[in-house]
Amino acid sequence: MAIRPILVAPDPVLKQKSLPVEGPVTDAHRRLMDDMLETMYDAPGIGLAAIQIGEPLRIIVMDLAREGDPPEPRYFVNPEILESTETTLPYEEGCLSVPEVFEEVQRPDKVRLRYLDYNGKPVEEEASGLYAVCIQHEMDHLEGVLFIDRISRLKRENAMRKLKKARKEAAL
Ligand code: NI
């Protein structure tokens, strides 16, 4: 396993659409998922899409376990949302590719999804609460969409300014 650099907005790679994994889930995909998980834990974060480390594949890792609880890694290959509720809930989101920015985003509060797991086994399940927020946020990455694309223009411009300032300070 290896910790890989996380791309930060406005890196144009983050705007790319990720491609589906064709054929079975292989050891190469599992190695990528292992790297993604290690990178996410190191950051630390609760979700990461492959494109955030520059790999344009429809692969996501996540761990929503509370601090101090045993880890609960989850892996998603080719996730699809089959159904989502009309009711939405606000949640203050952040993103490893948009450091130091936290803004409220409205999303459906429950979704039904289908994906392949770490071993390539198909899974269909319902997500609600933080799980629903996180999987929708990560699936946005697969389309080249960041959570700041879902907030008002004014807030987005403020966020980008903050991001630039933080980068400049980090470079000093
Ligand atoms: Ni993100």
Side-chain angles (χ1 to χ4, degrees):
M1 292 212 280
I3 294 168
R4 312 254 300 252
I6 296 175
L7 304 181
V8 171
D11 193 316
V13 172
L14 291 167
K15 293 271 159 200
Q16 269 184 43
K17 247 189 166 190
S18 295
L19 298 170
V21 169
E22 305 282 0
V25 176
T26 64
D27 284 344
H29 298 124
R30 279 185 278 274
R31 269 197 299 276
L32 173 62
M33 290 190 263
D34 292 344
D35 282 359
M36 287 169 63
L37 196 74
E38 196 179 358
T39 303
M40 182 191 85
Y41 283 148
D42 176 69
I46 59 171
L48 190 78
I51 193 69
Q52 292 180 272
I53 57 165
E55 303 276 354
L57 280 173
R58 301 184 83 83
I59 296 179
I60 288 165
V61 297
M62 194 184 291
D63 191 331
L64 304 175
R66 282 170 204 276
E67 222 184 305
D69 283 356
E72 285 169 29
R74 303 175 195 227
Y75 309 87
F76 306 84
V77 177
N78 296 344
E80 282 173 86
I81 287 180
L82 306 172
E83 245 178 281
S84 41
T85 49
E86 272 174 40
T87 47
T88 62
L89 274 181
Y91 191 87
E92 197 178 66
E93 298 188 17
C95 180
L96 293 176
S97 293
V98 192
E100 320 223 9
V101 175
F102 299 90
E103 289 291 347
E104 212 164 71
V105 179
Q106 287 275 351
R107 299 186 189 270
D109 62 350
K110 228 187 253 175
V111 296
R112 182 152 196 85
L113 68 144
R114 181 163 59 197
Y115 59 92
L116 303 176
D117 69 8
Y118 191 80
N119 296 308
K121 198 183 99 200
V123 180
E124 207 178 299
E125 67 191 6
E126 211 164 79
S128 59
L130 182 57
Y131 183 18
V133 171
C134 197
I135 192 68
Q136 291 178 85
H137 172 119
E138 299 309 329
M139 284 182 68
D140 269 355
H141 279 296
L142 308 183
E143 303 304 321
V145 174
L146 299 173
F147 81 99
I148 49 170
D149 297 324
R150 295 193 176 276
I151 61 180
S152 74
R153 192 174 149 187
L154 185 69
K155 281 188 176 166
R156 183 165 52 249
E157 284 169 359
N158 279 336
M160 289 314 291
R161 212 169 297 130
K162 207 170 161 190
L163 205 56
K164 267 189 204 149
K165 195 169 159 243
R167 282 182 116 186
K168 217 182 261 171
E169 276 164 11
L172 285 177

